[in-house]
Amino acid sequence: MKNITSLFKIGFTSFSLILLLSACSDDFMEPDSISTFDDEYIYSNVDDARNGVNAVYSYFNQDAFRSRLSNNFTGNTDIEHQSGWSSNSDRYQIWNLDALPSNRDLDIVWTYAYRAIRDANIAIEGITMSGNLENQDETIRKTFHQLLGEAYTLRAYWYSMLIYYFGDVPYVVKAPKAGEEFNLPKTPRNEILSGEIQNLINVEEQMLWADQTTYGVEQVNREYTLGMIARLSLQRGGHYLKPNLTLGRESDYLDYYQIAKEYTQKLITLKDRPLPEDFGQIFLNNVTFQTPTNSEILFEVPFSLNSGDVGWNIGIEVEGGPTSSHAYGSGNNYMAMPVTYYFSFDTLDIRRDVTCGLYRINKDFEAEFINGPMNISQGKWGRHLLKTPPGASTAKSTGINWPMMRYADVLLMFAEAENELNGPTAPAQEALKRVRQRAFNSENWAEKVDLYVTEVSMNKSSFFNAIVDERAWEFGGEMIRKYELIRWGIYSDKVAETVEGLKELADQAYNGTTDLPDYMYWKLDPEGKFTILNPNTKVIAPPDDTWNQVQFLLDLHDETTTYDEWITRDWENYINGPQPGIVRYIFPIPTLAVENSQGTLSNDGYGF
């Protein structure tokens, strides 16, 4: 389904006059001029009000989201990584946690986040003041309540991201008006989160379910807002980095775990749905533009057919260009998966081979083994699966939607919150079981689901650790792991475990003591299907000479440095940064924002 592309088209075309008249200058909150349209006119009818809210969606179509917040900004973790030390360019600074205030990527995210917030505030104020929330026409009244919920939810998303990347930030909740003070000071991050959570609680009951909306899961809906209440509550109740480079957590954190429990439970009670049995199909739906409602994905960013970077900078690598024999273009993979993550899966877990891509597509449109164990890709998406090839020389703008939240996330958030409040109760265990049942064939449920969940439910701590693991296996490549490690307060610990795990794999392969594949053997079968002989175990020799041999775990060893340099350097600043054992994931406020704040903002604390 791609009808939702009208959201972006409206945001950039028919609504552009309104945006122009209320556009920001270099100061992220100060308008050049105030719209000559009266708010009563803009929000007096459904169509124009829809256009106003659509303007907020349009910022997903900017690089601030489509290549930064959706994936590029979200490494490095224990399941996704990139080398940031090999260059001083903007994205590498971010990967290496040493970004300067002049970093252009930071400026892009900051600027467009506040533009989205500005337009959300305009919509919220216009809708609230229009009188249409009390309109006698039921259809109009419901539509305006839905629009209000969309605006609040989108604003909450952008504030959540600003807080994760910048800590305390200005909290702007009013539409810009001439004569008002625009240079606001920072507001404590927990105050912002509490305010946004309450706003969503206030509006969610008047919103529409996805199957009641025009665009289904390509439009913010009640399911997603309920899920966002829980996600924001876990962020608010979790750990966070303080300016003195220590981890903090508020004394009322259990109150927010209670909110997370209540609102995930509310969604489960009111709009439960079975998890789709085919895990891979969830993401193939993204690539083939299928958007079923009442299914797995609650909301996905609706990229138009000439936009979006999924399948270009994330997903299966595709070698294209004018000399290629195929017309699918070129796709890269900016965030690879460490081989420790691949081997963390149970070998019977269906999710592993969907999530971890061990092949690439070459110019002859044939699958071949990846270039070493540091290039495992996010196998959930691939431009080579598009129904219509976009062209041999294409790269960006695949049109593949990006999933923002799935129902499995809701189940696991419920299990986590319930465990934190009451321990591994039967409802918490059942939620975990539902997710694991899809991961294994039914003949393995007795051992891999029922027995496993019983064993990890001995106490609160073991169940929490199981949730940490399950979220890794379920959401690998979906680029939300960073935010989870932050709120759990275990970010540095988990990446340190990854580095030590990689070293151990390298040592065992080099010493000949590993049972895992030091080499892997692969070929294309007679039907052209990519096949691996030994995905889980060491093989001394292949059965015949039709198999290609490639170094795998042996490739982790280096004769000069002992370990491949990426092992020791990719996560170094996450382990031994300015405060060893603490990840300094907060970045400086961009230079332009500080300069334009007229002394209100500064980069203080965090070792800046």
Side-chain angles (χ1 to χ4, degrees):
M1 177 178 179
K2 279 292 169 184
N3 293 332
I4 193 66
T5 57
S6 60
L7 287 182
F8 286 156
K9 292 176 181 177
I10 292 171
F12 289 123
T13 56
S14 66
F15 200 60
S16 60
L17 179 59
I18 298 173
L19 290 179
L20 176 65
L21 293 171
S22 62
C24 282
S25 65
D26 286 338
D27 187 330
F28 70 95
M29 286 183 287
E30 185 174 0
D32 290 329
S33 62
I34 302 300
S35 173
T36 55
F37 285 109
D38 189 283
D39 280 348
E40 290 186 10
Y41 168 76
I42 297 173
Y43 292 95
S44 63
N45 62 84
V46 168
D47 289 341
D48 286 329
R50 175 76 267 174
N51 290 348
V53 175
N54 288 354
V56 191
Y57 283 92
S58 71
Y59 296 99
F60 286 137
N61 213 25
Q62 300 291 332
D63 275 349
F65 175 84
R66 68 186 181 191
S67 67
R68 269 68 170 185
L69 290 180
S70 62
N71 53 79
N72 272 355
F73 266 33
T74 54
N76 290 343
T77 71
D78 55 336
I79 70 173
E80 298 136 346
H81 84 288
Q82 183 54 271
S83 299
W85 44 270
S86 57
S87 170
N88 290 321
S89 65
D90 291 341
R91 72 168 65 101
Y92 289 83
Q93 291 179 16
I94 290 167
W95 293 335
N96 207 36
L97 297 184
D98 58 3
L100 301 173
S102 58
N103 186 288
R104 177 59 180 158
D105 281 354
L106 291 181
D107 182 62
I108 288 171
V109 168
W110 178 277
T111 298
Y112 282 101
Y114 275 107
R115 288 182 181 179
I117 289 166
R118 173 205 64 198
D119 287 351
N121 288 337
I122 292 171
I124 290 167
E125 185 171 301
I127 291 169
T128 303
M129 300 296 292
S130 70
N132 284 311
L133 296 176
E134 298 82 29
N135 197 293
Q136 294 300 307
D137 185 303
E138 182 181 15
T139 299
I140 293 175
R141 185 173 67 253
K142 286 183 175 181
T143 300
F144 271 83
H145 276 288
Q146 168 64 20
L147 291 170
L148 183 64
E150 290 179 44
Y152 269 120
T153 304
L154 292 169
R155 188 180 79 175
Y157 166 79
W158 286 101
Y159 272 124
S160 174
M161 292 297 101
L162 284 169
I163 287 166
Y164 270 126
Y165 288 100
F166 300 104
D168 299 340
V169 296
Y171 190 26
V172 190
V173 296
K174 294 181 179 180
K177 289 183 174 60
E180 290 191 358
E181 178 57 58
F182 299 109
N183 296 309
L184 301 180
K186 297 177 184 177
T187 296
R189 49 102 64 191
N190 289 326
E191 182 178 331
I192 298 173
L193 288 171
S194 295
E196 293 304 283
I197 291 165
Q198 188 58 55
N199 288 331
L200 299 192
I201 289 173
N202 293 342
V203 300
E204 63 89 6
E205 288 192 349
Q206 300 297 322
M207 294 180 67
L208 302 176
W209 301 113
D211 58 12
Q212 297 174 316
T213 66
T214 303
Y215 301 114
V217 299
E218 291 186 312
Q219 179 179 350
V220 168
N221 50 66
R222 190 180 180 190
E223 290 102 314
Y224 178 62
T225 298
L226 285 166
M228 278 297 289
I229 292 171
R231 183 176 281 182
L232 293 169
S233 295
L234 292 177
Q235 182 180 2
R236 170 63 173 80
H239 299 269
Y240 63 95
L241 185 64
K242 300 170 73 172
N244 64 0
L245 294 180
T246 63
L247 293 181
R249 193 181 206 183
E250 298 303 306
S251 60
D252 62 354
Y253 77 96
L254 287 179
D255 294 343
Y256 288 90
Y257 274 81
Q258 181 64 34
I259 294 173
K261 174 192 170 181
E262 288 179 4
Y263 283 87
T264 50
Q265 194 169 43
K266 186 172 187 177
L267 177 53
I268 293 168
T269 300
L270 295 178
K271 203 70 171 175
D272 195 15
R273 73 283 311 275
L275 295 180
E277 294 181 2
D278 189 334
F279 186 70
Q281 187 64 44
I282 298 167
F283 311 100
L284 184 59
N285 285 343
N286 293 146
V287 181
T288 56
F289 310 139
Q290 305 301 308
T291 56
T293 58
N294 299 319
S295 187
E296 176 74 22
I297 293 179
L298 305 185
F299 169 56
E300 57 188 54
V301 171
F303 289 122
S304 59
L305 290 176
N306 61 350
S307 183
D309 291 346
V310 185
W312 174 68
N313 66 355
I314 187 170
I316 296 294
E317 181 184 354
V318 178
E319 186 180 12
T323 62
S324 64
S325 65
H326 63 83
Y328 286 87
S330 301
N332 299 299
N333 182 39
Y334 285 10
M335 283 287 166
M337 294 176 167
V339 69
T340 43
Y341 174 59
Y342 174 81
F343 285 119
S344 74
F345 282 88
D346 189 294
T347 58
L348 297 177
D349 192 329
I350 296 167
R351 296 171 297 189
R352 185 192 68 178
D353 294 342
V354 173
T355 301
C356 300
L358 295 184
Y359 70 95
R360 63 188 295 274
I361 304 297
N362 61 27
K363 287 188 176 182
D364 295 325
F365 205 61
E366 292 180 338
E368 61 185 30
F369 201 83
I370 54 173
N371 183 27
M374 67 173 293
N375 288 302
I376 299 174
S377 62
Q378 291 91 347
K380 291 176 176 176
W381 306 276
R383 65 190 300 125
H384 63 295
L385 300 172
L386 288 165
K387 289 184 175 180
T388 303
S393 296
T394 59
K396 296 167 71 74
S397 303
T398 62
I400 300 171
N401 285 0
W402 181 252
M404 295 287 277
M405 186 178 291
R406 298 198 278 113
Y407 194 60
D409 197 347
V410 173
L411 294 174
L412 291 178
M413 285 192 291
F414 169 79
E416 179 185 345
E418 171 68 4
N419 180 61
E420 187 68 27
L421 294 164
N422 303 308
T425 62
Q429 293 182 46
E430 180 59 27
L432 177 56
K433 284 182 180 181
R434 288 184 64 180
V435 175
R436 285 189 67 82
Q437 283 172 346
R438 180 172 60 192
F440 297 91
N441 291 325
S442 57
E443 61 265 27
N444 297 315
W445 284 2
E447 177 186 357
K448 302 301 182 181
V449 178
D450 298 335
L451 179 60
Y452 173 86
V453 172
T454 297
E455 289 176 344
V456 302
S457 300
M458 298 301 292
N459 55 60
K460 178 179 176 180
S461 177
S462 62
F463 193 81
F464 168 75
N465 290 331
I467 291 294
V468 172
D469 289 342
E470 201 66 39
R471 292 189 68 88
W473 298 323
E474 180 70 22
F475 301 113
E478 295 176 58
M479 315 312 289
I480 61 175
R481 185 66 166 180
K482 176 176 184 175
Y483 311 127
E484 297 167 353
L485 296 179
I486 288 171
R487 65 178 179 80
W488 288 328
I490 59 174
Y491 199 167
S492 187
D493 294 340
K494 296 302 286 186
V495 295
E497 287 178 14
T498 298
V499 172
E500 291 308 306
L502 289 164
K503 290 179 179 178
E504 183 177 350
L505 290 176
D507 290 341
Q508 291 174 349
Y510 182 71
N511 295 330
T513 58
T514 185
D515 293 325
L516 298 172
D518 49 0
Y519 292 91
M520 277 201 183
Y521 298 88
W522 70 275
K523 69 177 180 179
L524 301 181
D525 68 14
E527 287 74 41
K529 181 181 178 181
F530 177 79
T531 304
I532 298 176
L533 174 66
N534 60 322
N536 311 312
T537 58
K538 180 177 179 178
V539 169
I540 300 302
D544 55 60
D545 60 4
T546 64
W547 295 91
N548 300 287
Q549 181 193 65
V550 291
Q551 276 197 352
F552 199 60
L553 291 183
L554 275 173
D555 195 52
L556 300 176
H557 179 83
D558 186 277
E559 290 294 340
T560 303
T561 60
T562 304
Y563 307 109
D564 279 354
E565 201 171 11
W566 65 271
I567 295 175
T568 57
R569 297 191 65 175
D570 280 10
W571 292 274
E572 178 60 18
N573 281 346
Y574 295 73
I575 301 169
N576 295 307
Q579 182 66 37
I582 301 290
V583 180
R584 185 178 69 172
Y585 60 84
I586 296 293
F587 292 115
I589 297 173
T591 299
L592 283 175
V594 172
E595 291 177 348
N596 290 325
S597 72
Q598 300 181 16
T600 304
L601 300 178
S602 64
N603 279 308
D604 50 340
Y606 305 107
F608 298 143

